[in-house]
Amino acid sequence: MVRFAPLARLPRPIRWAARVLITLLALALVLTLVLTLYVTWTVRRSYPQVGGRVSVPGLGADVTVLRDRWGVPQIYADSAEDLMRAQGYVHAQDRFWEMDFRRHITAGRLSELFGRTTLDTDKVVRTLGWRRVAERELPLLRPDTRRYLDAYAQGVNAWLSRHRDTATQSLEYSVLGLQRTGYHPEPWTAVDSLSWLKAMAWDLRSNMDEELGRAIAATKVSPARADQLYPGYPYDRNPVIVSGGSGGRTGPAPRARALSPALTRVAAAIHAMPTMLGNGAPGLGSNSWVVSGKRTNTGKPLLANDPHLAPQMPSIWYQAGLHCRRPSAACPFDVTGFTFSGVPGVIIGHNARIAWGFTNLGPDVTDLYLERVTGATYEYQGRQEPLALRTEQIKVAGADPVTITVRATRHGPLLSDVMTSARTAGNGAAVALRWTALDPGRTADAIVSLDTAGNWEQFRAAARSFEVPAQNLVYADVDGHIGYQAPGRIPIRTSGDGRWPAQGWTGAQEWKGYIPFDELPSAYDPPQGYIVTANNAATGPGYPRMLTRDWAYGYRAARITELVQRTPVMDAATMGRIQLDDRNGFAPTLVPHLLRVGSGPAVALLRGWDFTQPARSAPAAFYNAVYRHLLLRTFDDELPEDARPDGGDRWFEVLRNLLNRPDDPWWDDVRTPARETRDAMLALALKDAERELRGRLGGDPAKWRWGDLHTLTLTNQTFGTSGIGPIEWLFNRGPLKLAGGDSLVDATGWNPQEGYQVDWVPSMRMVVDLADPNRSRWINLTGASGHAFADHYWDQAPLWARGDTIPMRSDPATIRREAAHTLTLVP
């Protein structure tokens, strides 16, 4: 045993050195303790008060906020206005930084916070004019909707008045203060809430990316070959939502090579936008389905929904219940579900009578118009018309303001201008955007009406106002009925089908109105006893109107339908298990070809594989690596960057068709002197994949794991990508190892151009039991709180990752009994 001599026995010089060292260590410990206490104090200053009593000016009476163990609030009030005031207050408690950040996005004012790094984003948003449209929407709304928007804003501002110091608002403001001092948020307004609906519409904007990608592909290959990359919907194999189909005439392909610079600038403008809900990701979708009582163990319907959106920290969703203590015509709310912080009401959920869910319908509601611009005019039907001009000034933190001139034709703003420097003097080819969301609408009315609807007729009346973005709405009620309605403002064209950019100067491809609501696809109590929507074709070949030709290809819908049909009697747990299904619908087509041309221990993993993709699967790891390299080798040699494969189910269909044509030119790598065929490319992809996985996961294929590749880091939407390690550590969480994959029911998407990391997810999961809504289940991607290190910042994430859910309570007695905290808001 080693014994240390007492300090007094050591020589004098060593004693002094030891004492200095001890003193320095003590000081270091003290400084560390002080710093830890300061950081802890700074972090916790913004945590919300969840118990006791708080004065909220403007309330007419006391409001009770009960939070469960997950921090989910259930709000009880005597009037609808008080309910919305309280929702605004509670949203601000948990998510004000997120709300403030979002309104800076939608107003094109991010550069006021972050400087020149966000200038391109602001230029795009100012060009589109989101906030200008929201300002025009407000007077179009019903009086009750405007009252609720104003009451909500009053609640947010009541919270702001109690937290004037930004350090008490959220940790992000303290970090922002390191680079920009003196910032104080403005009061909240009704237009701030409406503007966020523009962001929702942008991210669910349907096929603009396909239209642009098709045109960009045609700058390098012939239009016919570009069309191969956008196959028709496989009606013979995959389901439609209701009977009928997609008509319409095909428009001409543009002379794309001459337009390449303008199209590339449009793509760059789109890429400058942040991934708020998903930034229009081509694979972006959702699952929802509803089964009637004749297929359940209770005799009442079940409804499931899981929207697929870009992952964020905190989640895009905020769970809440809004309850009038005595529901009446004057106070009609008794609703539980998923909300958007910054927007009053519930977006998806159920009330005492009905439940509803959303998926993206995906109709063609955007058109790119190729314009011929000369100076301050553009050509239209043989004459020159003046461009509409407006000036926008963007304030920039730490720099001088930047002024841009937004130019527009009759078809919309010139999106190709955004990434140019000489904007007002630009001549030649330009691209304008026509988009339904740039016209003011009444979607905010629809949110209120959905929350208070009590039957199918009222539900459809609410859907009439849901103009943008166009969605698939599924429905169920406590009386046993199920239904489906496609709402939305969907254009009727004079010619063409919107698949290619239109020749704006001809006037031949214009919008001449919108499809009447009563002609949009709808179903009520169908004889099969279920309705499945997963962004698949809404209608079949008999439908007389043109919705789109760019549906998702139905792989998720086919699998959900198969599992529903296989289960004659379902319960809520069955519905939840279907949401987690991870069978790859394209693997049964590709794997036999891989086994035919390959050999060795890695290829042997695919023999006997059941095509599922749990996180611990070795075959799934290898298969997805092969799929990735096959796409990269087959298409990246000829396609421009903005038209390359993203891996979604469109590419399932492209490869399915090519596998039957072994000598198709797409198989050839134009960078090599040889002429490659199908089997050569399959063999090369197998080798590429095995080489990559041996380097990343080790030499034993049996130990490869899909979850080791397929990971999700929950990234804060502002400082999570700062590039500064300690700051990213403050706000980001993960990584999580996930099951699922691209275009599977458990749709954890990834992009083969970038790797296997997850870039969109089931942003929440919900199953509503109409036999007893109090038995419903739900889960959020992260948690209720937007405050880093708070208990509910990401407490639901581990449950979400392994497919668990938590109770979705709506019964007042149960909510009171399970409440972890009670806060009373008083006038």
Side-chain angles (χ1 to χ4, degrees):
M1 181 176 179
V2 178
R3 296 183 179 273
F4 292 95
L7 193 61
R9 296 181 184 177
L10 296 174
R12 185 182 298 271
I14 297 178
R15 288 204 306 271
W16 278 107
R19 285 169 179 157
V20 170
L21 179 60
I22 291 170
T23 301
L24 291 174
L25 289 172
L27 286 172
L29 289 171
V30 170
L31 288 173
T32 301
L33 178 60
V34 170
L35 180 61
T36 300
L37 291 173
Y38 175 76
V39 171
T40 302
W41 175 73
T42 300
V43 168
R44 297 183 64 87
R45 286 180 73 189
S46 59
Y47 287 7
Q49 179 181 341
V50 295
R53 297 169 68 85
V54 173
S55 174
V56 177
L59 288 178
D62 289 2
V63 177
T64 303
V65 182
L66 302 174
R67 291 180 183 259
D68 64 13
R69 59 174 293 201
W70 306 101
V72 174
Q74 301 281 350
I75 306 173
Y76 291 86
D78 291 331
S79 73
E81 288 77 9
D82 276 357
L83 197 58
M84 297 305 165
R85 288 186 187 96
Q87 186 184 17
Y89 189 92
V90 170
H91 272 171
Q93 280 189 305
D94 281 330
R95 299 283 190 96
F96 183 75
W97 166 263
E98 179 184 41
M99 295 163 60
D100 195 21
F101 173 68
R102 286 179 178 177
R103 67 172 166 176
H104 278 81
I105 289 177
T106 58
R109 295 175 55 193
L110 280 178
S111 300
E112 294 180 22
L113 297 178
F114 303 110
R116 298 189 66 86
T117 58
T118 55
L119 189 55
D120 286 344
T121 299
D122 286 345
K123 288 179 179 180
V124 178
V125 174
R126 294 291 185 95
T127 298
L128 295 172
W130 286 356
R131 188 173 180 88
R132 294 166 61 89
V133 178
E135 289 169 348
R136 293 162 57 201
E137 282 184 345
L138 186 60
L140 302 180
L141 300 175
R142 296 194 313 254
D144 62 330
T145 304
R146 295 201 300 271
R147 289 199 309 273
Y148 300 151
L149 286 164
D150 288 340
Y152 180 91
Q154 291 167 14
V156 176
N157 293 329
W159 180 86
L160 270 175
S161 68
R162 293 181 59 89
H163 299 80
R164 297 184 185 277
D165 182 355
T166 55
T168 68
Q169 293 170 358
S170 190
L171 176 61
E172 284 90 341
Y173 289 108
S174 297
V175 176
L176 181 67
L178 298 176
Q179 66 183 52
R180 185 196 168 179
T181 58
Y183 172 74
H184 290 280
E186 303 162 358
W188 193 263
T189 69
V191 174
D192 292 330
S193 295
L194 291 179
S195 295
W196 181 242
L197 300 180
K198 297 297 143 190
M200 181 174 72
W202 174 258
D203 282 342
L204 302 175
R205 61 188 178 270
S206 71
N207 78 330
M208 188 174 84
D209 296 89
E210 283 83 353
E211 181 179 338
L212 180 61
R214 189 183 284 112
I216 290 177
T219 67
K220 297 296 184 182
V221 300
S222 69
R225 291 190 70 205
D227 242 354
Q228 280 186 275
L229 308 179
Y230 295 84
Y233 186 82
Y235 290 105
D236 59 328
R237 287 183 284 105
N238 290 342
V240 298
I241 300 172
V242 298
S243 60
S246 213
R249 290 163 285 176
T250 301
R255 295 183 179 90
R257 283 176 170 80
L259 298 166
S260 180
L263 294 170
T264 301
R265 291 197 301 271
V266 172
I270 292 172
H271 292 326
M273 296 292 281
T275 53
M276 296 163 293
L277 304 179
N279 198 16
L284 197 69
S286 299
N287 301 323
S288 70
W289 67 97
V290 59
V291 297
S292 72
K294 67 183 182 182
R295 304 188 70 93
T296 71
N297 64 346
T298 64
K300 296 290 186 179
L302 293 164
L303 183 148
N305 194 194
D306 56 286
H308 306 158
L309 303 171
Q312 294 183 7
M313 171 59 83
S315 165
I316 194 76
W317 299 108
Y318 183 95
Q319 298 149 291
L322 306 175
H323 311 283
C324 294
R325 291 192 179 100
R326 295 179 179 83
S328 64
C331 191
F333 294 94
D334 185 15
V335 58
T336 303
F338 292 90
T339 74
F340 286 141
S341 58
V343 180
V346 166
I347 308 299
I348 294 173
H350 72 83
N351 60 31
R353 297 280 309 163
I354 75 166
W356 68 95
F358 288 174
T359 64
N360 199 10
L361 174 62
D364 190 346
V365 296
T366 61
D367 275 341
L368 297 172
Y369 281 86
L370 310 175
E371 309 284 17
R372 293 173 174 172
V373 175
T374 304
T377 66
Y378 67 99
E379 181 182 343
Y380 185 73
Q381 292 186 332
R383 64 182 184 273
Q384 294 299 120
E385 294 193 352
L387 290 163
L389 306 176
R390 75 171 190 272
T391 300
E392 298 272 352
Q393 187 181 75
I394 303 172
K395 296 179 181 179
V396 182
D400 293 333
V402 172
T403 299
I404 65 171
T405 299
V406 177
R407 307 189 299 171
T409 70
R410 62 172 55 226
H411 301 121
L414 295 181
L415 199 54
S416 56
D417 271 6
V418 176
M419 308 306 280
T420 63
S421 55
R423 299 168 61 84
T424 57
N427 293 328
V431 182
L433 173 64
R434 181 81 168 95
W435 178 31
T436 56
L438 297 185
D439 297 325
R442 302 168 298 149
T443 299
D445 282 341
I447 296 171
V448 174
S449 297
L450 284 172
D451 286 357
T452 57
N455 55 42
W456 173 246
E457 290 74 22
Q458 293 172 2
F459 172 79
R460 289 196 76 222
R464 284 180 182 273
S465 299
F466 207 103
E467 296 170 323
V468 177
Q471 298 287 288
N472 297 303
L473 292 179
V474 293
Y475 166 93
D477 65 36
V478 295
D479 294 326
H481 302 293
I482 64 173
Y484 163 81
Q485 179 64 54
R489 188 189 290 158
I490 302 170
I492 301 171
R493 295 172 176 82
T494 56
S495 67
D497 59 4
R499 296 175 71 243
W500 297 93
Q503 297 173 347
W505 60 88
T506 68
Q509 294 170 269
E510 302 294 335
W511 292 9
K512 61 177 183 178
Y514 301 101
I515 299 175
F517 178 82
D518 289 332
E519 295 183 21
L520 293 173
S522 184
Y524 184 61
D525 286 339
Q528 71 268 23
Y530 62 85
I531 301 168
V532 174
T533 84
N535 318 111
N536 52 313
T539 57
Y543 182 69
R545 296 294 193 181
M546 176 64 202
L547 296 177
T548 187
R549 297 187 189 278
D550 289 319
W551 310 104
Y553 284 80
Y555 283 81
R556 286 178 286 115
R559 180 60 173 169
I560 294 168
T561 300
E562 175 190 351
L563 295 173
V564 169
Q565 291 175 340
R566 186 189 296 175
T567 313
V569 180
M570 305 185 73
D571 58 16
T574 307
M575 300 281 277
R577 286 194 293 272
I578 293 176
Q579 289 180 322
L580 303 176
D581 185 81
D582 56 17
R583 186 178 190 273
N584 188 307
F586 181 59
T589 299
L590 181 56
V591 164
H593 288 279
L594 300 177
L595 292 174
R596 180 173 52 78
V597 301
S599 61
V603 175
L605 293 172
L606 302 178
R607 290 192 175 88
W609 179 39
D610 63 1
F611 311 120
T612 63
Q613 298 191 176
R616 292 190 56 77
S617 172
F622 182 58
Y623 171 83
N624 282 289
V626 175
Y627 176 67
R628 174 183 181 232
H629 287 285
L630 183 61
L631 291 175
L632 300 182
R633 277 193 172 272
T634 304
F635 301 104
D636 281 14
D637 60 317
E638 291 190 78
L639 291 178
E641 182 178 353
D642 293 308
R644 288 174 179 170
D646 60 52
D649 63 358
R650 173 163 65 88
W651 296 96
F652 291 2
E653 284 299 292
V654 171
L655 285 176
R656 178 188 293 274
N657 294 333
L658 288 180
L659 287 170
N660 294 323
R661 296 195 293 273
D663 296 314
D664 190 283
W666 280 115
W667 293 117
D668 179 42
D669 187 341
V670 299
R671 298 165 297 190
T672 69
R675 182 175 176 82
E676 288 83 6
T677 61
R678 175 195 63 194
D679 288 358
M681 286 306 241
L682 291 171
L684 287 169
L686 286 166
K687 292 178 181 178
D688 291 343
E690 183 169 358
R691 184 184 306 112
E692 180 191 11
L693 296 197
R694 286 185 181 276
R696 293 185 60 173
L697 303 181
D700 184 355
K703 295 181 179 179
W704 295 344
R705 298 292 179 260
W706 174 225
D708 290 337
L709 299 171
H710 195 52
T711 62
L712 170 64
T713 297
L714 295 165
T715 303
N716 183 273
Q717 57 191 323
T718 49
F719 296 110
T721 56
S722 66
I724 303 172
I727 290 179
E728 293 185 0
W729 175 84
L730 285 174
F731 296 110
N732 297 346
R733 299 294 181 270
L736 301 169
K737 298 181 179 183
L738 298 185
D742 215 322
S743 300
L744 281 59
V745 178
D746 186 10
T748 52
W750 55 283
N751 189 330
Q753 301 296 330
E754 299 174 5
Y756 308 96
Q757 61 271 20
V758 176
D759 59 7
W760 78 80
V761 295
S763 57
M764 61 80 159
R765 299 185 182 100
M766 176 186 77
V767 176
V768 180
D769 186 342
L770 277 300
D772 180 1
N774 198 55
R775 293 202 304 255
S776 303
R777 308 286 298 185
W778 61 356
I779 196 71
N780 203 349
L781 173 63
T782 58
S785 180
H787 298 288
F789 300 101
D791 290 342
H792 306 302
Y793 187 54
W794 76 308
D795 55 336
Q796 294 186 51
L799 302 177
W800 172 91
R802 62 176 181 259
D804 290 342
T805 55
I806 62 177
M808 184 182 188
R809 301 302 194 197
S810 55
D811 170 63
T814 306
I815 290 170
R816 285 194 299 270
R817 184 174 64 252
E818 296 180 354
H821 302 283
T822 302
L823 175 68
T824 303
L825 307 180
V826 300

